[in-house]
Amino acid sequence: MTYQSGQRIALVHTSDPHTRLRPGDTGTVRRHDQQQNIVEVTWDSGSALSMCLDAGDRIQPVTTTPPPTGGPVDEAAGWAASLQRMRAAGTEAGGTAAEWWAQDTIGARVTGDTRLAARRVLAGIDDGDPAVLDALPRFTFATEAVDTAGWGLFADVIGDVCGWFGLRIQQRDEAMTVYRDAFDTAATDRIADLCRLAASPTGVDVTHLRPDRVRVGDTGVFSGDWARTADPDGGDRFAVGFAGTLIDHWNGWAVFSCTRAVAEAIVTDQQLHRDQYRDSLRDEGVPEDELDRRVDAALADLSFDGDVIVADQRALSDDPDAIERMAPGGDSRYVVMGRNWCWEAVDPYACDRIVGDLPDPDQA
């Protein structure tokens, strides 16, 4: 490019580390030595630093844009539109950065327990933990001066390579703040969404089923102390949770109804606990002819008799009449050990697996 005497230009970059000039500073061309590719400039700041374009210095012609025909109102509307485009671009870039982050953190190509990693990130975001938040993608200028990178970014988004140099300092700061905030917010929000999917035992977002959101009549996930374990961070984990509808509370515990498939899973899970307890007693040296009595004294025996669940707790309660029959209601749903076992609504993200169908967020 050839620069003419008297032409207005703006500094994009200078390789001189000692100059006080900064990207965005403007000046007037005195002479362009095309053989040496040196542009002599009288800068508005009073400096007379020349630009060696072959040595890494960069300048940009400043064009004069005709003022808006509608006056201040149109000018304000135009600036608002520019900020909206910066915000949209920041949002898109932040979402893309989050997707790349996920590939190396909770994606399929990552080894180790990605569900645990996702839970840790979610907890950190919810708690505002700096150690977690600082590790998430953030908009920053790592290698360039802010104003230099700002010019390039603004030019890409707005489509005007010279518009940046016509902005006031406050407008430049506002434009970059809008972009940065949109980027950071979009990145964090998208990472939270991706972590919810990665941490979910069902592979979908089940945030709407967390226990503090479950009211009578709502679908929730239910379990009890017998299924509770601890994760590596010391948090609660449940080997299994059962989907159902909360219908009542009993002594502070949950009473819920469920489908036949979920009821069968509860019966099967109870038999598994009985088998595991029997094995542990056998390992302790308890005689074979004592095993059934000991198991019955510790755990209820659940079984199906046709469509009816039979709960035998005679040995457990030392009551010969402690046999309960639980038939399905008119809606074909079961209330398994309701007002008997200490069920509670639990966080679905704390479950290793969930039995039963769960509603979509807009159906909960």
Side-chain angles (χ1 to χ4, degrees), residues 268-282 295 299:
T268 299
D269 185 66
Q270 180 68 1
Q271 291 302 322
L272 176 62
H273 285 291
R274 286 171 57 87
D275 292 343
Q276 290 173 340
Y277 185 56
R278 179 180 286 103
D279 291 341
S280 68
L281 292 174
R282 184 179 291 113
V295 171
L299 297 168

Side-chain angles (χ1 to χ4, degrees), residues 173-321:
D173 290 343
E174 184 179 11
M176 299 313 296
T177 297
V178 164
Y179 185 93
R180 182 191 65 238
D181 290 349
F183 182 105
D184 292 351
T185 299
T188 300
D189 290 349
R190 182 56 180 155
I191 285 172
D193 290 341
L194 293 171
C195 284
R196 291 188 189 100
L197 297 179
S200 170
T202 64
V204 298
D205 185 359
V206 288
T207 307
H208 56 293
L209 300 178
R210 282 180 166 162
D212 59 338
R213 304 182 182 181
V214 178
R215 302 290 183 268
V216 172
D218 293 343
T219 299
V221 178
F222 302 89
S223 194
D225 275 343
W226 55 90
R228 192 189 308 268
T229 59
D231 67 18
D233 295 329
D236 286 341
R237 297 295 301 165
F238 294 89
V240 60
F242 301 98
T245 300
L246 181 66
I247 60 173
D248 198 6
H249 289 96
W250 164 76
N251 290 340
W253 303 104
V255 181
F256 69 98
S257 68
C258 63
T259 63
R260 169 72 185 244
V262 173
E264 290 177 349
I266 294 173
V267 171
T268 299
D269 185 66
Q270 180 68 1
Q271 291 302 322
L272 176 62
H273 285 291
R274 286 171 57 87
D275 292 343
Q276 290 173 340
Y277 185 56
R278 179 180 286 103
D279 291 341
S280 68
L281 292 174
R282 184 179 291 113
D283 291 342
E284 293 173 5
V286 175
E288 288 291 327
D289 58 359
E290 286 287 316
L291 292 177
D292 286 346
R293 183 186 66 81
R294 293 278 295 273
V295 171
D296 289 341
L299 297 168
D301 185 10
L302 301 187
S303 61
F304 267 94
D305 179 12
D307 288 333
V308 177
I309 299 175
V310 179
D312 187 345
Q313 300 185 94
R314 290 175 296 178
L316 178 63
S317 61
D318 195 23
D319 179 356
D321 297 323

Side-chain angles (χ1 to χ4, degrees), residues 39-273:
V39 179
E40 298 175 3
V41 182
T42 298
W43 297 97
D44 295 346
S45 63
S47 171
L49 182 69
S50 296
M51 295 287 101
C52 301
L53 302 185
D54 288 340
D57 290 340
R58 284 188 290 158
I59 56 178
Q60 177 73 39
V62 174
T63 58
T64 301
T65 303
T69 57
V73 174
D74 283 352
E75 183 178 3
W79 179 238
S82 294
L83 291 180
Q84 182 60 35
R85 293 172 67 178
M86 292 292 286
R87 184 176 294 107
T91 298
E92 181 180 358
T96 300
E99 299 284 349
W100 281 105
W101 174 93
Q103 290 186 26
D104 297 322
T105 310
I106 56 174
R109 68 187 186 188
V110 177
T111 58
D113 190 346
T114 56
R115 286 183 60 187
L116 177 59
R119 291 198 301 270
R120 286 172 172 166
V121 172
L122 275 177
I125 292 175
D126 290 341
D127 296 339
D129 184 352
V132 172
L133 296 178
D134 290 348
L136 303 184
R138 288 291 180 265
F139 179 68
T140 183
F141 297 117
T143 59
E144 291 185 278
V146 173
D147 213 33
T148 301
W151 163 75
L153 181 60
F154 190 83
D156 288 341
V157 173
I158 306 302
D160 182 356
V161 297
C162 300
W164 177 260
F165 303 115
L167 299 179
R168 299 187 299 274
I169 296 299
Q170 294 87 343
Q171 288 180 306
R172 296 182 186 181
D173 290 343
E174 184 179 11
M176 299 313 296
T177 297
V178 164
Y179 185 93
R180 182 191 65 238
D181 290 349
F183 182 105
D184 292 351
T185 299
T188 300
D189 290 349
R190 182 56 180 155
I191 285 172
D193 290 341
L194 293 171
C195 284
R196 291 188 189 100
L197 297 179
S200 170
T202 64
V204 298
D205 185 359
V206 288
T207 307
H208 56 293
L209 300 178
R210 282 180 166 162
D212 59 338
R213 304 182 182 181
V214 178
R215 302 290 183 268
V216 172
D218 293 343
T219 299
V221 178
F222 302 89
S223 194
D225 275 343
W226 55 90
R228 192 189 308 268
T229 59
D231 67 18
D233 295 329
D236 286 341
R237 297 295 301 165
F238 294 89
V240 60
F242 301 98
T245 300
L246 181 66
I247 60 173
D248 198 6
H249 289 96
W250 164 76
N251 290 340
W253 303 104
V255 181
F256 69 98
S257 68
C258 63
T259 63
R260 169 72 185 244
V262 173
E264 290 177 349
I266 294 173
V267 171
T268 299
D269 185 66
Q270 180 68 1
Q271 291 302 322
L272 176 62
H273 285 291

